[in-house]
Amino acid sequence: REKFFAMVHLWDTHHNPYRAPGFRDRFRLPRGALEVLPVQRASAGYDYVPTWGRVGDIVWAISEKKLVRDVDGGAGRSAPEDDETAITQDLYDCSIAYLDHQVAQILKTLQKEGILDDTLIVITADHGEGLGQHDELTHSVFLYETTQHIPFLVYIPGLNNPGRKIKAIVSQVDVMPTILDLLSIPIPSQVQGRSLKKLILGKERDEDKGMAFMESHFPYLHYGWSELYALVTPRYKYIQAPKPELYDLSQDPEEEKN
């Protein structure tokens, strides 16, 4: 069978409105329904919902006219339920579920063609969405975990002990050299990332270590503000900004206590 390469770019969650055809009601919640969410207590002294934000500051809806926050654990102000321009946390999750479904269709097609077990598959994203956290509605400006912590999934046919979660810090610059190495293709010397092949195959010890570099020139290019740079380790994140920021992610996962 002839070798092939395919890049599939799923665009549906990149911009509002999050239509999510057939999945629009999968995760829809009443505004302010914290009792059904996995509220956790951070060592820094606040309650939060992972990936949603700090309780008391969760954005339940963002429309062109108003931003509806979770106020003091309650529902806050109401936004029209039929507002098609509204961004909501749960509707974004519905859109992610819709994308998961589309990926499943690709995998089923590969399996039907009898080539799934001969195909290396890598799934990743270029960013997350702020959805109101740190007052960022979408992405591009800031370097907080809400937009910078992204999925990186690798499927290798015949892999021993599949389904493992890597502890070490890895980065998007590692995607290309990892793919090349897994396919036994030489990695160009100028590549800045590293191959994760040994780590994935269990031939390199997986530990809470490593560091990733981040940068955003969007504030300068679009508004004349300062560029932002950051370094993140498994525990700490430092953001170089006009007012430097340092967070202990083990104690302060929502990056609230500078």
Side-chain angles (χ1 to χ4, degrees):
R1 185 182 295 270
E2 185 177 349
K3 296 181 179 180
F4 72 96
F5 171 83
M7 177 179 174
V8 181
H9 188 179
L10 299 173
W11 191 257
D12 304 77
T13 58
H14 195 268
H15 284 296
N16 187 55
Y18 303 120
R19 301 295 185 185
F23 289 79
R24 191 173 176 84
D25 296 322
R26 178 67 64 90
F27 300 115
R28 297 310 298 274
L29 300 173
R31 306 270 165 83
L34 289 174
E35 66 277 2
V36 299
L37 295 174
V39 177
Q40 298 183 19
R41 184 71 175 176
S43 298
Y46 56 82
D47 294 329
Y48 71 102
V49 177
T51 74
W52 280 45
R54 186 176 63 177
V55 170
D57 202 39
I58 290 176
V59 174
W60 290 95
I62 307 164
S63 71
E64 294 178 348
K65 296 183 178 179
K66 56 187 173 182
L67 184 146
V68 181
R69 287 189 182 275
D70 164 37
V71 180
D72 297 327
R77 291 172 287 133
S78 295
E81 292 290 343
D82 60 351
D83 184 354
E84 288 294 322
T85 69
I87 301 174
T88 64
Q89 294 274 7
D90 51 2
L91 187 53
Y92 183 75
D93 286 349
C94 292
S95 186
I96 295 295
Y98 171 72
L99 291 193
D100 286 346
H101 176 73
Q102 300 310 314
V103 171
Q105 302 313 301
I106 296 173
L107 298 181
K108 288 179 180 179
T109 299
L110 293 174
Q111 188 172 40
K112 181 179 179 181
E113 295 296 322
I115 56 177
L116 178 62
D117 291 337
D118 295 316
T119 304
L120 171 67
I121 300 172
V122 177
I123 301 175
T124 189
D126 55 345
H127 56 76
E129 290 292 87
L131 299 177
Q133 296 181 61
H134 298 282
D135 292 322
E136 184 171 27
L137 302 186
T138 55
H139 56 272
S140 297
V141 178
F142 299 131
L143 298 176
Y144 298 111
E145 293 295 277
T146 51
T147 60
Q148 302 303 302
H149 192 179
I150 59 173
F152 182 5
L153 309 176
V154 180
Y155 169 77
I156 303 175
L159 178 67
N160 292 326
N161 191 24
R164 293 184 297 111
K165 181 178 180 180
I166 301 299
K167 299 177 183 177
I169 292 286
V170 300
S171 176
Q172 286 180 320
V173 295
D174 302 326
V175 174
M176 188 262 275
T178 298
I179 292 175
L180 293 180
D181 200 9
L182 287 169
L183 296 177
S184 299
I185 299 174
I187 301 172
S189 59
Q190 65 268 32
V191 169
Q192 296 180 344
R194 69 185 183 104
S195 170
L196 306 175
K197 178 179 178 178
K198 291 183 178 179
L199 191 61
I200 294 172
L201 298 181
K203 297 181 179 180
E204 178 181 324
R205 186 173 179 179
D206 183 23
E207 299 176 308
D208 286 323
K209 64 178 184 178
M211 181 182 297
F213 171 75
M214 308 171 185
E215 62 181 344
S216 175
H217 291 253
F218 187 94
Y220 175 76
L221 295 174
H222 291 265
Y223 304 114
W225 302 344
S226 172
E227 302 98 335
L228 298 175
Y229 303 94
L231 290 174
V232 62
T233 70
R235 180 170 180 178
Y236 294 104
K237 176 188 277 186
Y238 171 74
I239 301 176
Q240 180 179 306
K243 180 182 178 181
E245 301 174 44
L246 178 64
Y247 299 102
D248 183 344
L249 300 178
S250 68
Q251 306 292 315
D252 180 22
E254 296 299 312
E255 298 163 289
E256 298 283 349
K257 307 290 185 180
N258 181 20

